Amino acid sequence: MPPKKKAAAEPKGSPLKKAKKSFAWEWKDGTSWKAYADEDSELLEHLYATVGAKGKVVTTEFSFNQEHQTKYELNFAKMSQTNLESKKSRTIRRKGDFAAVVKKAVWEWWSDDDEWESFKDVDAQLLEKAYVAGETPFSTKKLSWNEGFDSLYIFDFTVMTQVNCESKTSRKIQRTAAGGSKLFGHKDGEDDGYAGAVGFLSDKVGDTTVMFAGKFEPSLSPAHIAEQKKLGAQSLRKQKKDYGPIVSKDEHGRKCFDEMLKNEKEFCGEWVVFYHSYSSAALLYEVQAAVASVLFRFKAEFASLPRLLCAPFHHIPTAKRMLEEFPKWKDQDHNQAFRLVGLCGTSSLLAHDSEAPAKSVFLAGYSVGPLKGVLEKLLGSCGVPAGKVKGLATEIIKLAVKCGLDCSGIPGGKKCKSGRSGHMLQIFLRRELCDEYVYPSFPFGVPDKKRDKPLSKYLTQDVAIEGQVRITLNPDVFLRATTARMFTFSADPTFHKNRADFQEELKSMLEPILGSEAVRRKAAKGIFGGDPPEWWSAEDQSDLAKMSKGRYASSALDE
């Protein structure tokens, strides 16, 4: 691993200043060309390396746009920049010397002490040269701390991860300005954002005007199901079975991907599939799953649960409502309203998407962030008596560490031994419900009109499925095995193996808290944000939630 000794930001006389392949960006003003500010050239270069010479991406990150947060579409095939509000378009170009921006870059890695550490100068120069050249993933053995070991390291600059192919350790990395601020991209991870917003609901009690779906009635024709079965797994349509350089070199990773594709083959007739990568919020997802098992018969042994608290869904119960609200959010999918109901995902396990492609983020996950006090707030929102919250949270963290779950972002927690904090949630949703709860998007949640045919139709086609989505993960739908089926895959082999037992112990730990009908009613009221609906039952549902793996993994299920 990189040494913990701090290094200078960038040495004088850096060979990067003489790099042969370096670029600047300009925009056309009438008949003349004008240079972008250094930080905007840096942003454009990063986006260009991410989506490719023929790609399109939407951003609000230009330096001149910080006060307005206007959406700009960059089309690198046409070399144009378009203001999506005014519709004004400018021609852009990539040329010249990019050294003025290059010398400002600092490379850092996420250490075992849960803080960013600087790479040594020689290693930072090597990474910068590969980054500026657009070489991702970048493989090398020529690292200062690797002398005498000869291990192969793979760096993925799309999602900023470093993987040791021998020890299988995965670490997060970042590229920052000399002053320490990020030069591009999200300010934090999507699942961290949800964690930070959980406390918002601690004192909120709303009404129960949310429309519950009622009993689901399948409506797909046998011919349609047969056609989709014939086309096969969603991620393999017109797509090679390529797990990428990081997962393909990892035995556990390959097994997880094999299992996910096996699930896709089983479910492809009547279900669409999406993938959500997460890391820091894993313990919150696991606790929510255990609580939902006791209160709502959720199949927690198979999957974690990203969203449980229902109050925000009173306002935004569907993707349609989310799209109505989205133009009001200057911070786009960083908005608290989105984070409380929405989930970022991709529509393929194998496609190279512009943000968080599954085969790039699986081992490390996609976020780094402290979760101080969030578990306690979640337990309080779920009805745990105030006097028992702190003690219960402490015991849950100890259990998680024992079972191998990475809890490095939580006070009292520890990093897992493998260094792999990533998890992948495989989400199957009935085809009939796809457009009700999911919309296709670009990064930051900006709607993608090209795949909105609607999305359910796009996902029936015999084409290479790709692209991001935003999911309104309404518990009324995603808690039910007849309408949604979810599977959790953890990059850490120990926790992946122990997860079912972890859930059983976690539910036993909740028994003294949720063991009485009165407390369960209080918990349900906190989760629903008001009085529970008539269909809810106060009895312990955990035994009724149990199901064989074979039955749960079958596309046909009656409850």
Side-chain angles (χ1 to χ4, degrees), residues 178 226 228 269 297 340 350 369 393 412 431 480 509 545:
Q228 293 303 304
R297 211 181 298 184
L340 287 169
L350 303 179
R431 291 186 180 277
R480 304 183 185 195
M509 194 174 288

Side-chain angles (χ1 to χ4, degrees), residues 348-363:
S348 172
L349 182 66
L350 303 179
H352 180 81
D353 290 327
S354 56
E355 185 179 21
K359 58 189 180 183
S360 294
V361 301
F362 176 57
L363 294 186

